[in-house]
Amino acid sequence: MSARLLPTDPASIGGHRLLARLGAGGMGVVYLGRTEAGALAAVKVIQAEYADDPDFRARFRREVEAARRVTSPWAVPVTGADPDAAAPWLATAFVPGPSLEEAVTRHGPLPARSVRVLARMLAAALREVHAAGLVHRDVKPANVLLAVDGPRLIDFGIARASDETAITSTDLVVGTPGFLSPEQAEARGSEVGPPSDIFSLGCLLAYAASGRPPFGTGTADALLYRTVHDEPDLAGIEADDDGDDADTGDGDLPTLLRRCLAKDPADRPTAAQFGTALLVEDTIPEGGQLDWLPADVVRAIADSSSEMLALPDIEPTVAETPGDAEQAAPSRRRLLVLASGAAVLMAAGGVAAWAALRDEDDQGSPAPRDHRWAVGVQADLSGAQRTAGEAQERGARLAIEQFNSSKNKPFELALKTVDDGGSADRARTAAKKLIQDTDVLAVLGPTNDEAANAVLGTYDEALLPLLCVSAGGLILTAQQYRSFVHCRPSDAAVALPISIYLMRQKGKLLPGLLQDRTARTYAQESAWINALMLRRLGRPVYPRVIPADTDDVEPVVADMMRAGIGSFIYAGDARGGVRVARALADAGFDGPRLTPQAVIDPAFLKGAGDAAEGWVLTSSFVDPSAVPAAAAFTAAFRKRFGAAPGYYAAEAYDTVNLVVQELVKGTKGGRPPKRQELLGLLRKSRYKGITKEFSFKPADGTFAGWGVFLHQVEGGRFRFLGAAPSEV
């Protein structure tokens, strides 16, 4: 559960001598600390780069205020905090036991009576939360720590006053999918109140009783959809015989869970009702402890306590050389250097811009004249998406070659490419190869979601910047990574303009929405975002779902025609799109037909033939041959590779030029910035490329621009229409 302190960790924070690391995430580190009086605490310290963000600091200050307002024996109390310190921190009482998530994962579901006791105590904690005018918003197994005398609710990071609206804006989903209420899943911010926490508590209790979330597992969008539309899976959860309310059914665990998981917030019990009507028999004997957990979990708590309370020796401070210190903690000043009068080279048409900056105060040794640092490319060059992978590799190579041909460059760059075949297993090996090459300062790739999801954690551990231009699933941003820079909108964001496009059409056309499960996660995300958006715009869809690998789609299309649809949205891949296009043509449907970018594939044009004509498609990429700003790039690409640039070639070219811009900006003494420093530069960067303007959210590296485009099938080809609409 704990790890040794790193050389870069502070020795103390706010009067707490730090003893070990309890965990680390994208925002900061949680340490095991000890006060001068000997009390142990969990000390949460925010990284400096986020502390510099006024919005983030304000959010952290609210977390401290929210946690301090809750006084319950079943909620971890705040013992100290300083949200205004250079490195903001929050200390809470230390609970050495495992989380509920860890206990269930290792030892299986809890007995029904244990779940009932857990329900009563957590409800008591939520009663205090709600009495303080707060809503926790993230009640989940990982946020409940187990102790012999009862559970402890932790993490008030997104708790808010019930009348606050700053974080409840439209379309912002806050919390953990799978443990959210329907009103959270649909981002109905003003409706998220105490009943939302009760729904989440129901999800948590169902997980504790069955070992699985009540709405299954999978991608975020799938979980959100099931939460809103499906009934919870409570199979195998049985009532115990200890309840006093067996006659009425109120004490029956499945009945209690169904009440908590009611779709309508008004149908859920309040936290106070748990202790006054639902679970009154589970009380702690006066002067004693409640024997509420199975023996194996109690042993696990004891083992965990022994491990955590065997405090490590305090290690002596080791003096660092200036070089070591720079490597451990790169200067924040370097991220802000903007040299006026710097030499700027602009390639033809403005396609590649970089600034050669010098710092006269740099004391570092000059770089060897023949040394080459590198940009890596991890791509699918031999698998199903090798066309896109090859296009990206070529776009990146052209950017590097143009940079090296410049006269005033401060150093030369190499391009180092690894082929992962688009598979998760090969992706991990490929990532390790690039990570171990210390000359590689940033990596472009991988090509698809499967490979990207497999290596995000690996690159994160190495703090090697990973820039994705084609992988786009929401799963990539489900967890905050320090090294991830997403250079395109997510798949859901790319599908969103479909709704905007339809709302701009004349007449109130009933949209038909078909989700093809052959495309799995991609189809789910594309369908979910449009169903949500159109409902919010006052035009609910007529939705249908077809099982994976369904060949006969005519009955579904016929049903949608009988429903009177006037427009059609297809969420699926090119193979399924062929069948759907033919079925719509056979039915004589000529209304607007729209689909996101997975259908932009030659196989769709070839298979659908005339039935493909008129289809409108959204994408995260451009056709560079149709973009005036990309004329110089297109000509240079043809000359270098003897062919027109494919999709994603220009995006890769832009991304590498963005990396070059920040490498040169941070150069001192002929040396480019190190990986970690480059990451900070990239997340704060802005770059106007030939495809779009690049900017990112510093907190998580997600794309902050628009970057969505339209294509339409005309004359048997995909014709680029330009930027997709962003407003109704």
Side-chain angles (χ1 to χ4, degrees):
M1 291 180 61
S2 65
R4 293 171 62 86
L5 293 174
L6 301 178
T8 54
D9 288 327
S12 63
I13 288 287
H16 297 81
R17 182 73 181 192
L18 303 187
L19 306 173
R21 279 181 164 229
L22 297 177
M27 297 300 178
V29 181
V30 180
Y31 298 98
L32 174 62
R34 183 174 59 194
T35 66
E36 294 181 358
L40 296 178
V43 185
K44 179 179 181 180
V45 182
I46 302 302
Q47 290 184 14
E49 61 186 283
Y50 301 113
D52 291 342
D53 181 350
D55 291 338
F56 186 90
R57 188 179 283 271
R59 189 161 67 249
F60 184 74
R61 187 178 293 107
R62 286 195 297 267
E63 175 182 352
V64 172
E65 294 170 354
R68 279 176 165 161
R69 288 162 65 180
V70 178
T71 57
S72 168
W74 315 124
V76 175
V78 174
T79 59
D82 187 354
D84 298 314
W89 60 273
L90 167 68
T92 60
F94 175 64
V95 180
S99 70
L100 174 63
E101 181 180 53
E102 293 170 333
V104 172
T105 299
R106 295 175 183 175
H107 305 286
L110 299 180
R113 183 173 182 276
S114 296
V115 177
R116 290 165 58 83
V117 176
L118 179 70
R120 179 183 178 277
M121 294 177 176
L122 291 181
L126 287 176
R127 184 174 66 241
E128 297 301 318
V129 171
H130 299 160
L134 300 171
V135 183
H136 188 285
R137 294 178 174 271
D138 201 19
V139 178
K140 61 182 179 180
N143 280 343
V144 173
L145 301 179
L146 300 182
V148 174
D149 64 341
R152 301 292 190 275
L153 182 63
I154 65 170
D155 199 349
F156 290 80
I158 55 177
R160 298 290 293 222
S162 56
D163 59 350
E164 289 185 34
T165 58
I167 202 168
T168 58
S169 58
T170 300
D171 299 331
L172 178 61
V173 176
V174 178
T176 303
F179 296 92
L180 298 180
S181 65
E183 52 269 30
Q184 284 177 294
E186 292 191 303
R188 305 198 303 263
S190 61
E191 300 178 31
V192 177
S196 182
D197 283 344
I198 298 300
F199 189 97
S200 298
L201 177 60
C203 293
L204 177 149
L205 297 174
Y207 172 83
S210 66
R212 62 184 185 277
F215 297 101
T217 59
T219 60
D221 70 292
L223 294 174
L224 296 175
Y225 181 87
R226 294 183 204 133
T227 298
V228 175
H229 299 287
D230 294 356
E231 292 302 314
D233 176 12
L234 303 180
I237 300 178
E238 299 179 358
D240 65 306
D241 297 326
D242 296 335
D244 293 339
D245 304 299
D247 293 340
T248 65
D250 286 342
D252 180 75
L253 182 56
T255 300
L256 173 63
L257 295 180
R258 281 191 288 271
R259 290 186 60 183
C260 292
L261 297 173
K263 304 297 184 187
D264 187 344
D267 293 336
R268 301 169 201 155
T270 65
Q273 288 175 328
F274 276 73
T276 59
L278 301 177
L279 298 168
V280 295
E281 77 285 358
D282 292 313
T283 58
I284 299 178
E286 187 173 349
Q289 289 187 335
L290 180 63
D291 181 16
W292 72 289
L293 287 171
D296 55 349
V297 178
V298 173
R299 284 193 297 270
I301 293 175
D303 292 342
S304 176
S305 299
S306 298
E307 174 192 345
M308 298 305 297
L309 297 178
L311 300 180
D313 293 334
I314 298 174
E315 300 176 3
T317 303
V318 178
E320 297 175 328
T321 65
D324 292 334
E326 182 180 357
Q327 182 175 4
S331 170
R332 296 292 297 169
R333 294 179 182 177
R334 185 179 301 182
L335 306 185
L336 304 176
V337 172
L338 294 174
S340 60
V344 178
L345 173 65
M346 297 294 290
V351 291
W354 58 273
L357 305 182
R358 294 291 186 270
D359 189 334
E360 298 299 331
D361 297 327
D362 183 21
Q363 301 299 317
S365 59
R369 296 181 63 85
D370 59 348
H371 189 93
R372 273 193 167 195
W373 285 275
V375 172
V377 173
Q378 179 176 339
D380 178 2
L381 301 177
S382 57
Q385 293 181 294
R386 57 185 176 274
T387 300
E390 182 181 81
Q392 292 180 46
E393 197 276 343
R394 288 182 170 183
R397 186 169 298 279
L398 182 60
I400 294 295
E401 290 176 353
Q402 288 184 348
F403 171 75
N404 287 338
S405 67
S406 304
K407 294 181 179 180
N408 298 324
K409 59 185 176 296
F411 49 80
E412 284 202 346
L413 285 171
L415 189 73
K416 298 190 177 182
T417 302
V418 291
D419 175 18
D420 62 20
S423 72
D425 291 339
R426 290 181 61 183
R428 296 184 185 96
T429 302
K432 290 178 181 177
K433 183 177 180 180
L434 291 172
I435 289 169
Q436 291 168 358
D437 188 337
T438 56
D439 287 340
V440 175
L441 301 176
V443 175
L444 173 75
T447 310
N448 63 24
D449 284 32
E450 179 184 355
N453 193 43
V455 300
L456 278 171
T458 305
Y459 280 106
D460 202 57
E461 290 178 4
L463 285 177
L464 176 56
L466 180 69
L467 301 96
C468 287
V469 300
S470 54
L474 290 175
I475 190 66
L476 302 180
T477 55
Q479 179 177 340
Q480 288 186 331
Y481 294 98
R482 296 169 296 174
S483 64
F484 185 49
V485 182
H486 209 184
C487 295
R488 54 153 290 186
S490 68
D491 287 335
V494 171
L496 182 61
I498 289 176
S499 296
I500 300 173
Y501 182 95
L502 286 179
M503 293 299 295
R504 290 185 168 195
Q505 303 302 301
K506 293 182 179 179
K508 295 184 177 180
L509 306 175
L510 173 64
L513 174 60
L514 181 59
Q515 177 184 331
D516 186 347
R517 286 184 172 156
T518 304
R520 298 184 294 183
T521 302
Y522 178 80
Q524 293 170 350
E525 293 178 0
S526 302
W528 166 73
I529 193 66
N530 279 291
L532 177 64
M533 184 67 175
L534 286 168
R535 181 167 60 251
R536 290 192 173 280
L537 293 174
R539 191 171 297 179
V541 301
Y542 183 75
R544 292 300 304 269
V545 176
I546 56 176
D549 301 316
T550 299
D551 292 325
D552 186 9
V553 300
E554 291 183 1
V556 177
V557 170
D559 174 78
M560 299 175 83
M561 296 291 290
R562 287 193 295 271
I565 64 169
S567 58
F568 184 88
I569 303 171
Y570 173 68
D573 58 17
R575 176 172 166 264
V578 168
R579 294 191 296 271
V580 171
R582 287 177 172 176
L584 287 170
D586 291 343
F589 184 81
D590 60 358
R593 290 145 292 161
L594 300 102
T595 186
Q597 69 184 32
V599 179
I600 303 181
D601 188 307
F604 177 68
L605 299 177
K606 182 179 179 180
D610 291 342
E613 290 293 310
W615 277 68
V616 176
L617 311 95
T618 61
S619 77
S620 65
F621 50 76
V622 304
D623 177 357
S625 63
V627 176
F633 161 77
T634 302
F637 192 98
R638 283 183 177 276
K639 181 178 180 180
R640 174 64 177 84
F641 301 107
Y647 295 137
Y648 292 118
E651 284 72 22
Y653 177 81
D654 271 349
T655 299
V656 171
N657 276 318
L658 164 65
V659 173
V660 169
Q661 169 186 280
E662 299 307 314
L663 283 173
V664 177
K665 183 186 295 184
T667 295
K668 289 186 178 181
R671 290 181 179 272
K674 296 180 176 69
R675 292 173 173 181
Q676 184 174 356
E677 185 180 0
L678 175 61
L679 178 60
L681 288 166
L682 288 170
R683 285 193 167 185
K684 293 184 177 181
S685 67
R686 287 185 173 274
Y687 179 72
K688 183 173 178 59
I690 59 176
T691 59
K692 54 183 172 284
E693 292 191 17
F694 292 78
S695 62
F696 311 95
K697 297 178 181 178
D700 57 14
T702 54
F703 189 72
W706 180 234
V708 186
F709 308 95
L710 291 181
H711 307 250
Q712 187 167 25
V713 179
E714 290 185 5
R717 68 181 186 89
F718 296 111
R719 185 170 73 87
F720 182 68
L721 301 181
S726 59
E727 296 180 357
V728 177

